[in-house]
Amino acid sequence: MSSQLRIEKLQEFIKQETGKMLLTEIKDPRIGFVTVTDVEVTGDLREAKIYVSIMGDEEKVKESWKGLQSALGFIRREIGQRVKLRFTPKISFALDTSLDYSEHIQKLLLQVGSGTE
């Protein structure tokens, strides 16, 4: 199996498993509506950056972010148990704002469209 294919499979696995954990296993009430959008794993499989989108106002985003940070250890341990690697990747979260940006663009397009009629 090529190394790139292995990395892609691991990224998809981490994305799916983290999504399941956030949905069913992590019971932190601070974590609101969080979606795992992407995962990037380094070539040596030592680090994984999990991109998440958090819906809600600024306060809800901050609270959810705190909850996610506190769940990092649990998520890393669970991934280590579920995937068979020599080393469990160091997990970090990154906020994916692309959904917010696309929503903003959609609103602008609707404003422009309604202004011309």
Side-chain angles (χ1 to χ4, degrees), residues 60 63 78 97 105 113:
K60 286 204 179 270
E63 285 301 308
E78 286 297 310
T97 57
I105 295 296

Side-chain angles (χ1 to χ4, degrees), residues 13-30:
F13 179 80
I14 291 173
K15 181 179 174 182
Q16 289 177 357
E17 291 302 312
T18 303
K20 279 191 235 176
M21 283 184 252
L22 290 172
L23 192 61
T24 61
E25 297 172 36
I26 297 175
K27 303 298 182 200
D28 191 328
R30 296 177 293 181

